[in-house]
Structure formats: structure tokens, C-alpha cells
Amino acid sequence: QGRKCKMTTSRELGVRVCGMQVWNVRTQSNIFEDKYFGRDLKAGSEFQAALTRFFFDGISHGRALKHIPVVLEKITQLERIVRTLPGYRLYASSLLMIYDRGDVDEQGKPRQAPNHQNDGENGTGSPNTKNQILLNIVDVANCVTAEDIETKASATCPPRDPDGVDRGYLRGLRTLRLYFQRIYEQLIAEKGGFVERGEGEGMATQSNGGAGSGGGAGLDAQSSWAWSDAVVEEDPGEVSV
């Protein structure tokens, strides 16, 4: 694990891409990248391009404009949770992101008319979650909880701060947050600062200096807390210790 960490973005960023599968509507096929693809990435433009690629469907980056604001909120919520868990170490765990591109043809047009029976608009159903993006913690077999006192005491490489929070994990979350913000800002700039209705739902209009400030529809100023360039802590933290 230590060797993989030093040779990949894990050392510098606290996180690395472990693989991805993306549906390309243009070719009607999956684009697959394995763990070795992620290990070869370098911090900076390569890592950012890989994250951006996860939202490219062969036609546009519309999924990024739709889902990144939600991802930012989920990452911020996860940061807050991890900060309340002293003694926990999420060793070798992963974040799994999943979204459904939908059943569309080669031009990106839906094959079937949308079903609005459960969209919650008529007051009788719950909001449709099919098109939302999910963010789950997986691969937790090697995680250590605050109650694992004997395990931590006898470990070959025990935590340097056994009573503190997992600052390495927080470092990785901060990296993802900043990269996703940068991707969103660049995509908005390429569109001339305009966000179409339904894109960027839940993101504040004052997104750190004006990303989306050109009049984005469907934005929610109450979610501005998810958008920040502020460093989470003065100390950048350690990686997996």
C-alpha cells in the first residue's frame, strides 16, 4: 500500500482513480478504465481530465453540470461526518460514484417519454431519484474504528495520532472538492457563463467569484456552503496514517 501510495496521486492528493465505466451514447457502448489507468495519472491536468471524462457521454459534459453540484454537497456532508469520528481510520476504502445516463439514442434523445408519475410534482409521489448521482463508501474491510484499541496497539504501523480524526481521508475529500469545483467552473466558462435549467441544481449562484454568475436557472443560494476554496485545515494532513 505504501509503494502504491508513493507512486500514484494518493501521496500528493490523498486520493487516486481506481477505475471507471462510462456509457457513451454516441457509440452505444461502455468506455472502461481499470485501476492501472488511475495509477498512471499525474496530479493536475491529468487527474482533472480523468474526473471530467467520467461525466462525458460522447456528446457533451451536461452530466457534469447536473451532477457536480450534488457531489460537492455530498462530499461536504461526508467531511463533516468524518470530523466527528476520532480514532477511525478508513484505510484502503473507496468512494463509489454512480449515475444513470438514461435510455437515449445516438443523438442523446430519450427512447421513451419521461415518466412523471413519481416525480413528486403532484404532491402524491416522492421525488424521482433515478437521475441522481450516488456517492457511497465501499471497500471498508481494512477500516479501523475507535473501539479497535488492541488492533491499533499491535499494528505494524500504528496511527500517529490514534485519538485524532482521519486527516488523510479528509485530505482526499478536500482534493476531490477542489477538483470538481474547478471542472464545473471551466465548463461554465466554456458555455459563456450560462447554465441551462436543470443543470447545476443545488449550486449557489455566487460560486466562489462567479462561476454560473451569468444567470444560471435552477440554482439554490442556500447550498453555497458546499462551494468553497478555503483550505479545510492549515495542516494538509497525512496520507493514510
Side-chain angles (χ1 to χ4, degrees):
Q1 287 288 356
R3 285 194 298 270
K4 283 189 290 185
C5 177
K6 292 179 181 179
M7 297 173 63
T8 64
T9 57
S10 293
R11 180 61 183 174
E12 183 175 353
L13 304 179
V15 64
R16 70 173 177 270
V17 175
C18 295
M20 71 173 72
Q21 179 173 288
V22 184
W23 178 252
N24 187 303
V25 301
R26 185 77 73 185
T27 62
Q28 293 291 294
S29 63
N30 280 316
I31 306 299
F32 177 77
E33 299 291 354
D34 61 17
K35 61 184 179 181
Y36 299 106
F37 163 80
R39 291 183 188 180
D40 290 337
L41 293 173
K42 299 294 187 295
S45 59
E46 286 189 15
F47 188 81
Q48 179 172 327
L51 295 182
T52 306
R53 184 175 175 181
F54 178 65
F55 294 104
F56 183 64
D57 63 3
I59 297 178
S60 72
H61 289 96
R63 298 302 96 182
L65 296 176
K66 175 180 177 62
H67 292 310
I68 285 180
V70 180
V71 170
L72 290 173
E73 292 191 7
K74 291 180 180 293
I75 289 175
T76 302
Q77 292 170 3
L78 184 54
E79 283 181 321
R80 292 182 173 181
I81 293 173
V82 173
R83 289 185 176 280
T84 66
L85 299 173
Y88 282 67
R89 292 295 181 273
L90 300 173
Y91 293 130
S93 64
S94 302
L95 285 178
L96 176 64
M97 288 193 295
I98 305 174
Y99 69 90
D100 188 350
R101 179 58 184 89
D103 186 14
V104 297
D105 61 20
E106 291 81 354
Q107 284 73 46
K109 297 180 180 180
R111 298 184 189 277
Q112 297 178 346
N115 184 355
H116 297 294
Q117 293 181 353
N118 293 318
D119 60 6
E121 295 180 358
N122 58 8
T124 60
S126 59
N128 190 344
T129 60
K130 179 179 180 180
N131 293 321
Q132 294 184 4
I133 189 166
L134 303 178
L135 184 68
N136 295 328
I137 300 177
V138 296
D139 301 333
V140 295
N142 295 312
C143 293
V144 179
T145 69
E147 291 75 20
D148 295 330
I149 299 176
E150 295 182 359
T151 300
K152 288 187 288 188
S154 61
T156 304
C157 298
R160 297 179 185 177
D161 182 17
D163 298 323
V165 298
D166 193 336
R167 290 165 51 240
Y169 197 85
L170 292 171
R171 181 180 184 178
L173 292 178
R174 182 172 70 244
T175 290
L176 289 175
R177 176 160 50 80
L178 295 179
Y179 270 91
F180 279 130
Q181 287 180 189
R182 188 181 304 169
I183 292 169
Y184 189 88
E185 290 171 343
Q186 290 187 359
L187 292 177
I188 290 298
E190 292 174 2
K191 294 190 64 172
F194 178 78
V195 184
E196 296 180 4
R197 183 172 299 276
E199 293 181 342
E201 295 176 351
M203 179 51 58
T205 54
Q206 67 271 25
S207 52
N208 186 41
S213 58
L219 303 186
D220 180 6
Q222 294 180 351
S223 299
S224 60
W225 53 268
W227 189 277
S228 173
D229 276 338
V231 177
V232 175
E233 51 192 343
E234 294 181 3
D235 189 330
E238 302 290 347
V239 177
S240 299
V241 295

